[in-house]
């Protein structure tokens, strides 16, 4: 083998080794993304969302004139929709509305009983962008449709209460556009006048609720 052939083989070998080393560096420095892992570096909470939730509520129907409180409890199932937007690097604001079928009932069946069959709210929301987590506080206007029954009549009346609600919660991402939402809220639905038989009675309505839901962002 002459010197030219030896030099040519040596050059080809050197280029091959250099190419292999460069390819190895590229493979090491740019690993493939892990499958099934949610990116927690950025929150990406902006945009519209819809969702559904279920929860448990308990509350009080108060007859202030008689200084009597009637306790109630039950389940609720609802839907929600809203919109989030970033205020600053760490703050996410939003507006959200919800409506829920409810079966919150109680009282004294021998005297006065009540049943709240649906609730709703329109709220503002302010959260802290923690990547895959969004802890938040929320407050706004609340509504409740409530029926009071007087066993002594017997008679009943239904009224739509309007008041306020406030609470806190946390969302955490489980996929790029899906999050789970855990929330607690206290609601004061105000006082309404119920006509029971020939008597007008003012009742105030309040409730607590703990809910869990799933939201879809788009």
């Amino acid at each position: 083998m002459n010197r030219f052939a030896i030099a040519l083989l040596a050059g080809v070998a050197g280029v091959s080794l250099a190419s292999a080393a460069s390819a190895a560096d590229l493979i090491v420095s740019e690993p493939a993304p892990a499958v099934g892992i949610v990116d927690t570096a950025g929150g990406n909470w902006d945009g519209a969302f819809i969702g559904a939730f279920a929860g448990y509520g308990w509350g009080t129907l108060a007859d202030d004139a008689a200084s009597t409180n009637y306790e109630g409890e039950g389940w609720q199932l609802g839907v929600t929709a809203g919109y989030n937007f970033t205020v600053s690097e760490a703050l996410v604001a939003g507006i959200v509305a919800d409506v829920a079928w409810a079966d919150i009932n109680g009282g004294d069946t021998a005297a006065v009983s009540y049943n709240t069959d649906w609730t709703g709210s329109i709220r503002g929301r302010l959260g802290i962008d923690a990547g895959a987590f969004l802890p938040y506080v929320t407050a706004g206007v609340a509504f409740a449709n409530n029926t009071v029954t007087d066993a002594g009549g017997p008679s009943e009346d239904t009224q739509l209460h309007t008041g306020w609600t406030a609470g806190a919660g946390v969302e955490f991402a489980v996929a790029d556009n899906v999050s789970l939402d855990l929330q607690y809220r206290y609601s004061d639905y105000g006082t309404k006048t119920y006509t029971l038989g020939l008597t007008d009675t003012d009742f105030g309505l309040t409730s607590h609720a703990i809910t869990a839901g799933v939201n879809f962002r788009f």
Side-chain angles (χ1 to χ4, degrees), residues 87-180:
V87 177
S88 68
E89 183 177 352
L91 293 179
V92 177
I95 185 169
V96 59
D98 66 77
V99 61
W101 167 83
D103 186 24
I104 301 174
N105 56 78
D108 185 349
T109 55
V112 172
S113 60
Y114 79 98
N115 176 261
T116 302
D117 58 6
W118 69 263
T119 65
S121 72
I122 301 173
R123 298 172 279 112
R125 199 169 78 158
L126 186 63
I128 298 175
D129 187 346
F133 295 89
L134 182 71
Y136 63 85
V137 293
T138 184
V141 180
F143 312 93
N145 196 63
N146 187 68
T147 299
V148 175
T149 302
D150 181 3
S155 63
E156 68 178 32
D157 191 14
T158 300
Q159 296 291 333
L160 177 62
H161 287 247
T162 302
W164 59 270
T165 184
V170 59
E171 277 193 76
F172 53 96
V174 294
D176 287 342
N177 64 338
V178 181
S179 61
L180 299 182

Side-chain angles (χ1 to χ4, degrees), residues 6 16 38 55 90 130 200 210:
I6 293 174
S16 300
V38 176
D200 289 344
I210 296 175

Side-chain angles (χ1 to χ4, degrees), residues 4-215:
F4 177 78
I6 293 174
L8 180 60
L9 290 175
V12 171
V15 171
S16 300
L17 290 174
S19 299
S22 297
D25 289 340
L26 288 174
I27 293 172
V28 171
S29 61
E30 298 182 7
V35 176
I37 302 299
V38 176
D39 182 11
T40 60
N44 192 27
W45 295 99
D46 286 3
F49 64 88
I50 58 173
F53 63 90
Y56 184 77
W58 66 99
T60 302
L61 182 75
D63 182 349
D64 294 335
S67 299
T68 303
N69 292 336
Y70 302 98
E71 306 298 327
E73 59 185 348
W75 297 93
Q76 56 184 11
L77 179 67
V79 293
T80 186
Y83 192 91
N84 291 326
F85 55 93
T86 298
V87 177
S88 68
E89 183 177 352
L91 293 179
V92 177
I95 185 169
V96 59
D98 66 77
V99 61
W101 167 83
D103 186 24
I104 301 174
N105 56 78
D108 185 349
T109 55
V112 172
S113 60
Y114 79 98
N115 176 261
T116 302
D117 58 6
W118 69 263
T119 65
S121 72
I122 301 173
R123 298 172 279 112
R125 199 169 78 158
L126 186 63
I128 298 175
D129 187 346
F133 295 89
L134 182 71
Y136 63 85
V137 293
T138 184
V141 180
F143 312 93
N145 196 63
N146 187 68
T147 299
V148 175
T149 302
D150 181 3
S155 63
E156 68 178 32
D157 191 14
T158 300
Q159 296 291 333
L160 177 62
H161 287 247
T162 302
W164 59 270
T165 184
V170 59
E171 277 193 76
F172 53 96
V174 294
D176 287 342
N177 64 338
V178 181
S179 61
L180 299 182
D181 187 11
L182 302 178
Q183 184 185 109
Y184 162 80
R185 281 197 357 243
Y186 171 78
S187 300
D188 185 336
Y189 298 108
T191 300
K192 295 292 289 188
T193 300
Y194 289 78
T195 301
L196 302 173
L198 300 177
T199 304
D200 289 344
T201 305
D202 291 337
F203 288 101
L205 183 65
T206 60
S207 73
H208 304 261
I210 296 175
T211 61
V214 57
N215 291 332

